[in-house]
Amino acid sequence: MPRPPSFDREEKIEEAMDLFWEQGYEATSVQDLVDHLGLNRSSLYNTFGGKHDLYLEALDHYRARDRRRLRRCLRDAPTALDGIRRAFVAVAERATESQCGCFTANATVECAPHDPCTEERACEAFRAMRALFQKAVERAQEEGAVPAGRDAEALGRYLTNAYNGIHLTAKTGPTSALVQDIVEETLRGLRGRPRGTGDHERPTS
Amino acid sequence: MPRPPSFDREEKIEEAMDLFWEQGYEATSVQDLVDHLGLNRSSLYNTFGGKHDLYLEALDHYRARDRRRLRRCLRDAPTALDGIRRAFVAVAERATESQCGCFTANATVECAPHDPCTEERACEAFRAMRALFQKAVERAQEEGAVPAGRDAEALGRYLTNAYNGIHLTAKTGPTSALVQDIVEETLRGLRGRPRGTGDHERPTS
DNA sequence: CATTTCCTGGAATGACCGTTCCAAATACAT
DNA sequence: ATGTATTTGGAACGGTCATTCCAGGAAATG
């Protein structure tokens, strides 16, 4: 009996994600969404509840997609260290191309301070990312690519920190090649000896 | 003949900086500024021109202050490596305390994409930071704390990337101690051998 | 005291915001 | 064909925004 919905909900969320991602929350008006998604004001409110709810759904969509991509990247590489490298190279490429940064990071900066819903999602996202990198480091240790004595959790945090920094760095000038250098330097940091092994200041052999 | 100004311009800029820093650009209304600065709406417009101009002045004030602090920190330490460490430790402490992040980085995320004035300032700020870290790395190389064969410019970018990442990281959960771990891991990355020295995967001695 | 200049308080403006509401059009199932 | 639920278009609402304007008050000079 009822008239069926004429558009794909998920598809619209994805389009909303693109817009919020590019412009941020405040800078995106409901009118922008109406225009960009190609659906009516009323449909938008009926389907998603409002701007804020749609934003959260868009953020969730991004988080899920991003996590999936990182997990695959780390899992499908020949070695754990290669997986980490590929993840960094990929993010460096994306960041220098699009300049939009990471949606989650943008949300953390713009909205999390005054929106608990966003803050909770952001913290969860970064926690998950740290866990993924930690796991990769542990695998790399089993494979002998990273010294066994080093703290895998700390290295996971170390990698997550650099990984997220790349989005910001890419927004401020450096070309793709220069960002790739950062990736290499960051990865080299994984190979050092554990703390207190007494390798202080020994110049290049 | 004229009545003299009854407030200190610089002081008001600093107060505006605090507010913009904490709340961001969009979330700070002119009314907020009027209340917080304790001066009249008309005075605000007469003195600064408008919200946007005041924001840029606040951002410039922050940039100058931040650069001065980093330069001092790097210069006044007993060794260059110590200077870098102190800079990182200090930023880690500040970041975990205040949760406001870095004003410049916040501006880069929130405003730079749609405000050329902000973008230009942000790029300049990060360029200066990279130069400061590069110089510190070069000094550390002269002192023998960093292998001479490594690319000082790349390491400067590497440090800047991690340094700025810390502000974001601190917003997403980790305690002060955990952030300090990141600092240590990042600094350890300075000590490795240059590229192509053939030290692949050698487990802990 | 008078005058000039700036500061002060608050009202007024016009634009845009997110949201709600209503009536008409539409497409399916019976 | 009829009925029903949901779409659609667009008007309307209340609120807030940045900005402007104006009249009165305050301070220093002459």
Side-chain angles (χ1 to χ4, degrees), chain B residues 69-174:
Chain B
R69 178 153 57 186
L70 179 57
R71 195 198 317 267
R72 275 212 201 104
C73 200
L74 293 174
R75 171 162 39 84
D76 297 346
T79 72
L81 191 61
D82 254 320
I84 296 171
R85 165 168 283 112
R86 287 184 190 185
F88 270 81
V89 167
V91 81
E93 276 175 5
R94 269 179 279 134
T96 46
E97 275 173 15
S98 93
Q99 302 271 84
C100 289
C102 164
F103 191 179
T104 311
N106 295 352
T108 304
V109 170
E110 190 192 351
C111 301
H114 46 83
D115 176 22
C117 302
T118 301
E119 198 205 354
E120 189 187 1
R121 283 166 167 80
C123 288
E124 201 278 333
F126 287 115
R127 209 177 320 136
M129 189 179 285
R130 289 194 292 268
L132 283 177
F133 275 124
Q134 175 180 346
K135 209 166 185 174
V137 169
E138 286 165 357
R139 272 189 53 207
Q141 287 179 314
E142 289 167 14
E143 293 168 3
V146 171
R150 300 197 64 182
D151 181 347
E153 196 199 331
L155 286 177
R157 287 198 302 270
Y158 160 79
L159 288 174
T160 305
N161 184 65
Y163 188 86
N164 290 317
I166 283 177
H167 284 113
L168 182 63
T169 297
K171 285 191 182 193
T172 64

Side-chain angles (χ1 to χ4, degrees), chain A residues 22-23 26-27 81 99 105-110 113-114 119 122-123 126-127 130 143-151 153-155 157-158 160-169 171-174 177-182 184-189 191-197 199-205, chain B residues 22-23 26-27 81 99 105-110 113-114 119 122-123 126-127 130 143-151 153-155 157-158 160-169 171-174 177-182 184-189 191-197 199-205:
Chain A
E22 191 183 326
Q23 309 190 344
E26 292 289 348
L81 191 61
Q99 302 272 81
N106 296 352
T108 304
V109 170
E110 190 191 350
H114 44 84
E119 198 205 354
C123 289
F126 287 113
R127 211 178 315 133
R130 289 195 292 269
E143 294 168 2
V146 170
R150 301 196 63 182
D151 182 346
E153 196 198 331
L155 286 177
R157 285 197 303 270
Y158 159 78
T160 304
N161 184 64
Y163 188 87
N164 290 319
I166 284 177
H167 283 113
L168 182 63
T169 297
K171 284 192 185 196
T172 65
L178 298 185
V179 177
Q180 295 288 352
D181 277 355
I182 295 176
E184 291 309 316
E185 299 299 345
T186 301
L187 292 178
R188 197 195 316 275
R191 298 212 301 256
R193 295 191 188 77
R195 295 194 205 199
T197 335
D199 60 333
H200 305 294
E201 279 90 269
R202 182 152 42 85
T204 11
S205 93
Chain B
E22 192 182 325
Q23 308 188 345
E26 290 290 347
L81 191 61
Q99 302 271 84
N106 295 352
T108 304
V109 170
E110 190 192 351
H114 46 83
E119 198 205 354
C123 288
F126 287 115
R127 209 177 320 136
R130 289 194 292 268
E143 293 168 3
V146 171
R150 300 197 64 182
D151 181 347
E153 196 199 331
L155 286 177
R157 287 198 302 270
Y158 160 79
T160 305
N161 184 65
Y163 188 86
N164 290 317
I166 283 177
H167 284 113
L168 182 63
T169 297
K171 285 191 182 193
T172 64
L178 298 186
V179 177
Q180 295 289 353
D181 277 355
I182 294 177
E184 290 308 318
E185 300 298 346
T186 301
L187 292 177
R188 196 195 316 277
R191 296 209 303 255
R193 292 192 189 78
R195 296 194 202 196
T197 334
D199 59 334
H200 305 290
E201 279 89 88
R202 182 154 38 85
T204 10
S205 91

